[in-house]
Amino acid sequence: MQSNRDPGELFSLDMIEKFISFDTTSRNSNLPLIHFVRDYLGQLGVDCVLTYDRERGKANLFATLGPRDQPGIILSGHTDIVPVDDQEWTSDPFKLARRDGKVFGRGVCDMKGFLAIATAFAPEFLKRGLKTPLHLAMSFDEEVGCLGVPLLINDVVGRGPLPLACIVGEPSEMKVIRAHKGKIGGHVQVTGLPAHSGIAHQGVNAVEAAGEAIAYFKRIQRRLRDEGPYNGDFEAPAYTTIQCCMVNGGTAVNIVAGHCTFDFDIRFLPGENPEAYVDECKAFVARHVEPEMRAVSPEAGFVWKKVPGAAALNTACDAEITRLAQKLSGSSDSTCVGFGTEAGHFQEAGIPTIICGPGSIDQAHKADEFITLDQVARCEHFLWRLLDEVGA
C-alpha cells in the first residue's frame, strides 16, 4: 500500500517537539518518554519490548515493524540528554523553538531528532508493508557510559533472529560514519597519610603520588603522539589519546595531603587494547610509587576503578551496510571520527553497524542546541529511500 504523503513534505516536526518536551537528562528517569513511544506504537499494533535497569527507573525500548521471524535493520539511538545547568539558552530548552531555518531544543541534535523522525515514520512503514523488518531501538544512559545498550543488545540477541544491520542516528550531518574511536575511563583514589608540613617526612603526600601517575600517563601520551600507532583514516588526532582532566585532593597548604583522586579518559583507535596503557601505568605505580608510600604508612596506596565507556566501531568501506547507507544518503563517501557512540556495541554483538543522523556534533551539548530544517528534510528523505529498499 502506497503512502499518500508527499515525500517533500516535512511531517516529523510535531514528533520532534514531543520528544524534546521530555526532560530525560541522564540523572532523571526516561520512562515518560519510553512509555509515550510504547503507547504510540501500541496504537499502531506494534508491540514493544522494554528492558529495565536494576532499579526499574529507566528502560530501553525495542520494537519490530514488519515480519517478526526475519532479521531486519535497526534504527537506533539513545534517549538520554546532557544537563542544561549553567547554560544560557535563548529559549526554553524543553520547548521546541523554530527560527532562522532551525529547530532548537535540548537533545534535538544529540539525538532525539533522529529517534523522533524514525518514530514519525512508523505509520508510513506499516502502510507500505515491509518485506524486511525495521526495528526501533531506544536506549538509556548513553551519555554516562553506554550503560543501557548492552542490556538491550543482550535481549535482542537472546530472542533472535540476529538483525541484519544497525543504523545509529548520532549527528553526522547525514553523512555516513563507518568507524570511530572507543573510550574507557578510570577513577583513581590515592590514600596517603596527613601530617604537618613542617614534619613532612612523617606523612605520605597523596597529591604528589597522584601527580607521578598522571605524569606517567602523559609520558605514554607523548609516545603515542610521536610514535603511533596511527590510523590515517581518522580525523586528527589519528592516534589514541589519554587525558587526566579531573584532580581533587588535599586539605590545606600546611598539611601533607592525605587523599587525592583523579580521573582519566582514553580514546583509542579500533584494534588497540587501551587496558594495556592502564596496566603500564599501574605497573609503574606499583614499582616506583607505592613502595615509597607504604614504607611510611602500610595503608597508603592506589585504588583503581574502571569507568564504563564505549566500544570502538570499525566497519569496512565496502561492507553491505556501508554501501546501503551511502545509497540512502546520496553520497559515496564515508568517514571515521574521534567521538564515541553505541555503534561499537552493536558491532561487537555481530551486527554490522554504521552511523548516519541529522545535525552536527558541533552543536551537541551546547546551549541553543539545534538542527536545521534542511537536516530534518535530509533525514526524512533517507528514511523514504530506506522504505523503498525494504518495503513490500
Side-chain angles (χ1 to χ4, degrees):
M1 179 177 179
Q2 296 293 323
S3 171
N4 293 324
R5 287 191 182 274
D6 178 0
E9 170 196 354
L10 291 182
F11 68 93
S12 61
L13 291 177
D14 287 345
M15 187 64 75
I16 295 174
E17 184 170 21
K18 186 66 177 179
F19 270 57
I20 295 305
S21 70
F22 294 98
D23 181 357
T24 53
T25 305
S26 299
R27 63 192 174 216
N28 300 334
S29 172
N30 73 335
L31 290 181
L33 172 56
I34 290 294
H35 290 166
F36 163 76
V37 176
R38 178 198 62 189
D39 295 343
Y40 175 81
L41 294 176
Q43 292 174 356
L44 300 174
V46 178
D47 293 330
C48 299
V49 177
L50 305 188
T51 52
Y52 291 86
D53 68 350
R54 189 172 300 174
E55 292 76 24
R56 298 187 68 83
K58 300 180 180 182
N60 305 302
L61 179 147
F62 189 82
T64 299
L65 288 68
R68 300 182 63 85
D69 59 347
Q70 299 179 32
I73 298 174
I74 302 173
L75 303 176
S76 176
H78 61 85
T79 60
D80 63 314
I81 54 175
V82 298
V84 298
D85 305 22
D86 301 321
Q87 292 185 341
E88 295 184 5
W89 282 70
T90 304
S91 54
D92 186 335
F94 300 107
K95 291 183 179 179
L96 197 72
R98 310 179 196 183
R99 57 184 183 269
D100 302 324
K102 303 170 184 176
V103 286
F104 296 81
R106 172 55 87 220
V108 69
C109 172
D110 186 16
M111 56 175 298
K112 288 181 175 179
F114 175 80
L115 289 179
I117 295 169
T119 302
F121 262 81
E124 305 303 320
F125 295 147
L126 296 171
K127 287 177 186 177
R128 175 79 66 89
L130 300 171
K131 62 179 184 286
T132 300
L134 292 175
H135 310 289
L136 298 181
M138 304 186 188
S139 66
F140 66 84
D141 281 358
E142 186 268 357
E143 296 287 5
V144 291
C146 295
L147 303 183
V149 75
L151 301 175
L152 183 151
I153 293 172
N154 288 342
D155 182 71
V156 169
V157 171
R159 287 187 291 109
L162 191 71
L164 292 171
C166 178
I167 299 170
V168 176
E170 288 277 3
S172 70
E173 299 179 283
M174 294 309 299
K175 300 173 184 176
V176 179
I177 296 173
R178 63 175 183 82
H180 65 61
K181 292 180 179 180
K183 172 186 181 298
I184 66 167
H187 176 76
V188 185
Q189 180 177 333
V190 185
T191 300
L193 179 66
H196 192 290
S197 60
I199 48 172
H201 66 289
Q202 294 183 13
V204 177
N205 194 314
V207 168
E208 291 180 351
E212 291 192 78
I214 293 168
Y216 193 84
F217 269 134
K218 183 63 177 181
R219 188 186 309 176
I220 298 174
Q221 174 66 107
R222 290 193 181 101
R223 186 180 75 218
L224 294 170
R225 180 196 65 193
D226 297 340
E227 302 175 12
Y230 305 109
N231 186 328
D233 290 337
F234 277 79
E235 302 169 354
Y239 52 85
T240 292
T241 60
I242 303 175
Q243 298 293 313
C244 295
C245 298
M246 294 173 61
V247 183
N248 184 39
T251 304
V253 71
N254 58 354
I255 301 175
V256 173
H259 66 275
C260 186
T261 62
F262 68 92
D263 293 75
F264 63 86
D265 174 278
I266 302 179
R267 306 289 175 135
F268 61 95
L269 293 171
E272 281 206 76
N273 175 17
E275 298 288 354
Y277 303 127
V278 180
D279 290 343
E280 182 180 344
C281 189
K282 284 182 178 180
F284 166 80
V285 168
R287 287 194 308 266
H288 300 290
V289 182
E290 286 182 319
E292 185 177 273
M293 299 170 71
R294 289 172 178 162
V296 178
S297 173
E299 291 77 25
F302 283 60
V303 175
W304 303 74
K305 180 181 179 181
K306 185 176 179 179
V307 175
L313 174 70
N314 193 22
T315 301
C317 295
D318 59 353
E320 187 173 350
I321 184 58
T322 306
R323 294 198 302 269
L324 174 62
Q326 289 170 330
K327 179 179 180 181
L328 300 179
S329 67
S331 172
S332 60
D333 294 331
S334 62
T335 60
C336 307
V337 298
F339 62 85
T341 75
E342 295 175 328
H345 293 271
F346 286 98
Q347 186 177 60
E348 283 191 339
I351 303 170
T353 304
I354 59 88
I355 298 164
C356 190
S360 168
I361 194 66
D362 292 342
Q363 305 306 323
H365 300 188
K366 293 181 179 179
D368 288 347
E369 179 181 348
F370 71 85
I371 55 175
T372 64
L373 292 175
D374 175 69
Q375 286 288 302
V376 176
R378 290 181 63 183
C379 187
E380 289 192 4
H381 293 160
F382 182 98
L383 293 180
W384 285 120
R385 296 185 191 111
L386 176 61
L387 181 53
D388 289 337
E389 292 289 324
V390 302

